């Protein structure tokens, strides 16, 4: 859309000349010759830019700029044939984008006009993005009317106002990452980076490089300097998911970052400062891990400044209907027709324990929607394993039995290896990525 410019100039020749130039550049122009007419125009119309002379027959251009500043994101440029430093300072104090002394070259003046309008567009885009971010990460995205979730959301609201480290605990699939995201975008750091790290998914030999960065030549394959996740999160927030899986040496380095706010890249000697808030998450009992000597006690206390424990879905079953509605609306745009769950299907879902929590519920819903041939999903359309576990359906199919057996076997090996994913994958004869896919599919606690 064409930008609208209010031109305030009492000199007819100058006014006509500027009007022709603005029109030639593709702008809409509303020319007036007095300050009073300019203020009336501002009250009745919306302009993108006001270009005004200082000296006008009735009131000065400063009054026009002052009025323009009340009308939202409107840029202003002041012109004068009697330029003084005092006037320039006053114009800038009132919010003028620029102060131009006559005579001036029209092509240069048009460049100033173009820059002023670009700044206006950038401000509007920034405002829009902030609103979008606020909507995306506001509390309504956390579905939960149960008392347990209301207590969590109340705590999140209070925690967001502080800058303390947070430890989020809960079973796999309870929404720990979503809570961490909420805290960041409701905090004073919301305009700075939020860097998310899944500690369990980092390759064993590259954990420190990923977290702290490395210098060129630090190890084979380090062909260039690389900043780490802590460096990227400077002045923002770093979310360390599955922090209980970090090796002892890395735990010590993170403790130093918390205590001294400094670190060195791998292979480097320069000490770098960092200001970042740490939000950590785990599905492990870190107190028990401390007793076993697997997790550092001092790091645990440094992270556990504000603990948040997320309840499993089986302890807030009353939230299942709301979650159903939420996920149905989320998928609605991809469906050719409206889909609903029947009352008996909802009852069956509420009777199931959901060991994979909300993530497993979402997977069940997506599966039902994908296989649905009508607008109503009944109990018979639910996965056999779910009905078998609620005691409401026929025995599971051979495929379902095989899946359950595979899941139980993976859990057994994970217990033997004390949660070591690399060793578990080796014993099972599969890749680490395949193991992670199966852990997520079956909703196994990590």
């Amino acid at each position: 859309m064409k930008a609208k410019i209010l031109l305030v100039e009492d000199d007819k020749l100058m006014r006509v000349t500027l009007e022709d130039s603005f029109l030639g550049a593709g702008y809409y122009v509303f020319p007036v010759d007095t300050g009073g007419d300019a203020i009336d125009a501002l009250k009745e119309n919306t302009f993108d830019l006001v270009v005004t002379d200082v000296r006008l027959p009735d009131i000065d251009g400063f009054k026009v700029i002052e009025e323009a500043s009340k009308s939202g994101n409107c840029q202003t440029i002041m012109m004068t044939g009697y330029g003084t430093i005092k006037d320039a300072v006053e114009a800038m104090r009132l919010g003028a984008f620029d102060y131009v002394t006559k005579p001036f070259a029209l092509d240069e003046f048009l460049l100033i006009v173009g820059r002023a309008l670009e700044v206006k567009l950038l401000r509007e885009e920034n405002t829009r993005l902030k609103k979008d971010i606020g909507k995306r990460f506001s509390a309504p995205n956390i579905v939960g009317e149960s008392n347990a979730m209301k207590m969590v959301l109340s705590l999140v609201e209070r925690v967001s106002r502080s800058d303390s480290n947070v430890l989020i605990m809960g079973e796999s699939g309870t929404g720990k990452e979503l809570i961490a995201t909420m805290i960041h975008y409701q905090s004073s750091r919301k305009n700075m980076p939020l860097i998310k790290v899944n500690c369990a998914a980092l390759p064993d030999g590259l954990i420190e490089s990923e977290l702290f960065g490395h210098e060129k030549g630090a190890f084979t394959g380090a062909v260039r300097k690389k900043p780490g996740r802590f460096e990227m999160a400077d002045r923002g927030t770093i979310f360390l998911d599955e922090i209980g899986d970090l090796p002892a040496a890395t735990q010590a380095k993170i403790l130093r970052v918390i205590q001294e706010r400094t670190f060195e890249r791998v292979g480097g000697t320069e000490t770098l400062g960092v200001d970042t808030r740490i939000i950590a998450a785990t599905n492990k009992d870190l107190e028990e891990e401390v007793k076993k000597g697997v997790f550092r006690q001092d790091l645990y206390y440094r992270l556990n400044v504000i603990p948040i424990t997320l309840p499993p879905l089986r302890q807030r079953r009353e939230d299942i209907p709301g979650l159903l509605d939420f996920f149905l609306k989320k998928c609605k745009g991809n469906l050719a027709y409206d889909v609903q769950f029947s009352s008996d299907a909802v009852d069956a879902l509420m009777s199931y324990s959901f060991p994979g929590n909300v993530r497993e519920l979402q997977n069940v819903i997506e599966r039902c929607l994908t296989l649905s041939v009508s607008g109503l999903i009944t109990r018979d359309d639910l996965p056999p394993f779910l009905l078998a576990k609620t005691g409401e359906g026929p025995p599971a199919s051979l495929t379902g039995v095989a899946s359950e057996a595979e899941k139980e076997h993976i859990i057994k090996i994970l217990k033997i290896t004390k949660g070591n994913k690399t060793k578990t994958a080796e014993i099972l004869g599969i890749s680490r990525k395949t193991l992670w896919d199966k852990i997520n599919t079956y909703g196994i606690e990590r």
Side-chain angles (χ1 to χ4, degrees):
M1 295 177 63
K2 292 182 179 180
K4 292 171 64 177
I5 299 177
L6 174 61
L7 174 60
V8 192
E9 174 59 73
D10 60 327
D11 184 292
K12 185 176 181 180
L13 179 60
M14 176 61 79
R15 186 172 66 252
V16 172
T17 300
L18 287 174
E19 182 181 359
D20 290 344
S21 296
F22 293 157
L23 290 171
Y27 303 126
Y28 286 119
V29 187
F30 191 91
V32 296
D33 57 4
T34 68
D37 288 343
I39 290 175
D40 290 340
L42 285 166
K43 290 178 180 178
E44 297 174 4
N45 301 277
T46 300
F47 295 97
D48 299 296
L49 175 67
V50 175
V51 177
T52 181
D53 196 3
V54 174
R55 298 190 178 184
L56 299 168
D58 46 357
I59 58 177
D60 60 39
F62 296 113
K63 295 288 185 183
V64 176
I65 290 180
E66 200 170 351
E67 189 65 32
S69 66
K70 300 176 184 178
S71 59
N73 186 23
C74 177
Q75 294 285 63
T76 55
I77 297 174
M78 179 164 278
M79 309 175 294
T80 181
Y82 310 92
T84 65
I85 294 176
K86 181 181 178 182
D87 284 349
V89 170
E90 179 63 12
M92 297 303 175
R93 187 187 70 80
L94 293 171
F97 177 80
D98 210 339
Y99 179 88
V100 184
T101 304
K102 301 175 184 176
F104 47 75
L106 284 175
D107 55 347
E108 293 179 2
F109 191 71
L110 285 174
L111 287 174
I112 296 172
V113 168
R115 285 199 297 270
L117 292 170
E118 285 177 5
V119 169
K120 178 184 183 297
L121 287 174
L122 287 172
R123 284 179 179 172
E124 290 175 345
E125 179 69 7
N126 187 45
T127 301
R128 184 188 66 78
L129 288 173
K130 284 182 178 179
K131 287 181 179 178
D132 288 347
I133 288 173
K135 289 178 181 177
R136 183 179 176 190
F137 298 111
S138 58
N141 273 343
I142 304 290
V143 179
E145 292 300 319
S146 61
N147 289 332
M149 282 309 297
K150 284 180 179 177
M151 290 176 64
V152 168
L153 293 176
S154 175
L155 180 57
V156 165
E157 185 179 355
R158 283 175 283 151
V159 167
S160 300
R161 301 190 203 113
S162 77
D163 211 27
S164 301
N165 294 334
V166 179
L167 179 61
I168 306 173
M169 295 165 285
E171 296 178 6
S172 176
T174 50
K176 296 187 289 292
E177 182 177 339
L178 189 55
I179 291 294
T181 304
M182 249 186 103
I183 292 172
H184 172 76
Y185 282 103
Q186 291 183 357
S187 74
S188 59
R189 296 175 180 262
K190 62 185 176 184
N191 295 322
M192 303 310 292
L194 167 61
I195 304 299
K196 300 178 180 180
V197 185
N198 186 333
C199 300
L202 293 176
D204 292 341
L206 296 175
I207 291 178
E208 292 190 10
S209 171
E210 287 294 323
L211 291 175
F212 307 109
H214 62 252
E215 297 290 347
K216 180 179 178 180
F219 50 84
T220 303
V223 296
R224 63 178 63 87
K225 181 171 71 175
K226 176 188 173 183
R229 308 294 180 89
F230 272 98
E231 199 170 340
M232 293 163 63
D234 189 32
R235 295 189 296 157
T237 304
I238 188 166
F239 173 54
L240 300 175
D241 197 8
E242 307 298 354
I243 193 155
D245 286 355
L246 283 178
T250 308
Q251 292 178 32
K253 291 197 173 184
I254 290 178
L255 179 64
R256 181 193 171 196
V257 172
I258 296 174
Q259 292 180 158
E260 302 178 17
R261 295 185 177 273
T262 60
F263 65 94
E264 289 85 33
R265 298 192 191 101
V266 175
T269 56
E270 180 185 4
T271 299
L272 304 175
V274 65
D275 170 22
T276 184
R277 181 186 198 177
I278 296 177
I279 301 178
T282 182
N283 56 25
K284 294 184 176 181
D285 185 341
L286 287 190
E287 285 192 16
E288 193 62 33
E289 296 293 296
V290 168
K291 291 177 183 177
K292 294 177 183 176
V294 177
F295 200 83
R296 292 182 63 110
Q297 185 179 52
D298 45 7
L299 178 58
Y300 170 66
Y301 288 132
R302 287 287 189 173
L303 293 172
N304 196 33
V305 177
I306 303 178
I308 298 177
T309 302
L310 299 187
L313 189 54
R314 62 183 173 275
Q315 292 180 7
R316 56 181 187 108
R317 296 176 191 268
E318 60 268 46
D319 289 333
I320 290 177
L323 287 164
L324 278 175
D325 290 339
F326 175 80
F327 289 126
L328 281 174
K329 288 176 183 176
K330 190 175 180 181
C331 299
K332 197 171 184 180
N334 300 323
L335 301 175
Y337 46 83
D338 286 338
V339 178
Q340 296 294 329
F341 281 76
S342 67
S343 58
D344 61 345
V346 175
D347 289 342
L349 289 170
M350 293 186 70
S351 299
Y352 180 58
S353 61
F354 283 104
N357 294 294
V358 179
R359 186 185 295 121
E360 185 180 7
L361 173 62
Q362 183 178 3
N363 289 343
V364 169
I365 294 170
E366 289 180 1
R367 170 179 172 166
C368 291
L369 293 178
T370 302
L371 300 178
S372 172
V373 293
S374 69
L376 185 65
I377 295 173
T378 66
R379 183 180 64 83
D380 294 334
D381 296 316
L382 297 176
F385 74 86
L386 186 147
L387 294 175
K389 288 199 172 183
T390 59
E392 295 187 20
S397 65
L398 186 60
T399 302
V401 172
S403 297
E404 283 300 310
E406 183 178 62
K407 175 181 176 180
E408 294 302 321
H409 187 61
I410 291 173
I411 292 173
K412 179 181 177 181
I413 302 302
L414 281 169
K415 286 181 179 178
I416 292 172
T417 63
K418 296 181 178 180
N420 187 304
K421 310 300 185 299
T422 301
K423 289 182 180 178
T424 299
E426 288 176 359
I427 293 171
L428 293 172
I430 59 178
S431 68
R432 187 181 170 97
K433 181 181 183 302
T434 301
L435 175 62
W436 272 107
D437 289 341
K438 291 182 180 294
I439 286 173
N440 289 328
T441 299
Y442 295 137
I444 297 172
E445 294 183 19
R446 289 174 282 174

